[in-house]
Amino acid sequence: MTLFPGRQRTDKPAQLDDANRTSIQNPALNDAGGSSVAPVRSAKRSESRETQTKILDAAEALFIETGFSATSFRAIAKHAGVNLSAAHYHFGSKEGLFGAALHRRVAPLTRSREANLNRLEASAATPTVNEVIRGYLGPLCDVAPDSPLPSLIARLYGEPDSIQQPLVIQEFSATAERFLSLLRKALPEVPTDVVQWRFHFVIGSMIFLLSHERPPILFGPDEAAVGGLDQLIEFATTSLSAPVFENTAASTSSDSEAS
């Protein structure tokens, strides 16, 4: 899926005659009122980036607040203070804009997770379950308190599969598969399918935590839940490492044989 599906140019560049080519290549030969083409192009690129940032900021805020379906391209353009045509030009579709807004926030998180993966995979010793889970969840601890990333991820997972799944696969699947592979190595005594299910439940707990910073039932409205991610890391480590009950192992074995 293309994150920035822009308009493709099919027109050929105009041919320059010798005079125009000389003028562009040698700005000093321009007349006194002329100027170099490079600064003009640079200014246009800067203006284009500024417009894209305005659109992304507006889209991000509206997607988080009202969701994908309830947010129109026109509302995003109005919120950004740009022409509707500019939003279409830079991002092509609402799906493309949602993907671009998500990628802008997720990319730093992915880089941190990949750095952790590279370190764990390069280690001579098999990493522990806790090390793997910290490598996956730990980067969330570094997210700025005012970052919209947690709300954006939580909103993504609340969208219908037709919207959610392509973006989840695009942004998260590759790193999740690598972490899952490390967990299988760290838990050789646990059936592969069980490890996969348990990791799936860990991700679900992470999404819930991103949606609710404090457990609404256990904490009062003014009482902050301190160290939620640390609690989740400890919970995930224990849950992933738990012994497998006989009925679970039998069910897993039956499923494997049936497939």
Side-chain angles (χ1 to χ4, degrees):
M1 180 177 182
T2 303
L3 285 177
F4 299 90
R7 187 186 305 165
Q8 295 185 353
R9 297 181 61 91
T10 57
D11 52 317
K12 295 181 179 180
Q15 297 296 319
L16 299 175
D17 56 32
D18 291 338
N20 285 334
R21 185 179 292 108
T22 301
S23 177
I24 291 175
Q25 292 175 348
N26 300 278
L29 300 180
N30 292 347
D31 59 41
S35 62
S36 173
V37 173
V40 174
R41 289 177 177 171
S42 178
K44 287 183 177 179
R45 284 196 296 268
S46 178
E47 182 180 350
S48 177
R49 286 194 296 268
E50 182 179 348
T51 299
Q52 291 181 51
T53 299
K54 287 180 179 179
I55 296 169
L56 287 170
D57 288 344
E60 181 179 85
L62 292 178
F63 283 141
I64 290 173
E65 181 179 354
T66 63
F68 180 82
S69 297
T71 302
S72 68
F73 234 20
R74 187 173 299 277
I76 292 170
K78 182 178 180 181
H79 193 81
V82 302
N83 294 328
L84 180 61
S85 59
H88 280 289
Y89 175 81
H90 287 295
F91 300 101
S93 67
K94 193 167 71 168
E95 289 83 1
L97 181 50
F98 193 19
L102 179 69
H103 180 75
R104 181 176 66 154
R105 299 299 181 184
V106 171
L109 175 68
T110 300
R111 286 194 293 270
S112 295
R113 284 176 169 171
E114 287 176 341
N116 291 339
L117 280 165
N118 293 338
R119 174 176 51 81
L120 292 169
E121 290 170 344
S123 175
T126 300
T128 66
V129 174
N130 185 263
E131 288 173 335
V132 176
I133 290 301
R134 284 194 177 277
Y136 180 72
L137 296 176
L140 287 170
C141 297
D142 300 326
V143 174
D146 60 345
S147 171
L149 175 62
S151 297
L152 195 57
I153 293 178
R155 170 60 73 182
L156 171 66
Y157 279 97
E159 295 294 337
D161 285 350
S162 60
I163 301 299
Q164 173 203 136
Q165 286 300 316
L167 293 176
V168 169
I169 291 171
Q170 179 176 276
E171 296 293 340
F172 302 111
S173 287
T175 52
E177 284 292 338
R178 290 174 66 188
F179 278 110
L180 184 58
S181 178
L182 288 174
L183 285 173
R184 293 189 185 111
K185 293 178 181 178
L187 296 164
E189 72 284 0
V190 179
T192 297
D193 289 353
V194 174
V195 175
Q196 186 164 325
W197 273 111
R198 288 179 178 180
F199 188 48
H200 175 69
F201 297 144
V202 169
I203 294 174
S205 299
M206 176 197 73
I207 295 166
F208 185 83
L209 183 62
L210 294 176
S211 303
H212 306 280
E213 293 183 1
R214 64 174 67 87
I217 298 175
L218 303 179
F219 289 80
D222 299 323
E223 187 176 0
V226 179
L229 277 169
D230 287 334
Q231 293 291 332
L232 177 56
I233 290 171
E234 182 178 344
F235 169 79
T237 301
T238 303
S239 301
L240 282 160
S241 306
V244 180
F245 292 108
E246 291 184 7
N247 59 338
T248 302
S251 174
T252 302
S253 177
S254 299
D255 291 343
S256 298
E257 292 174 0
S259 60

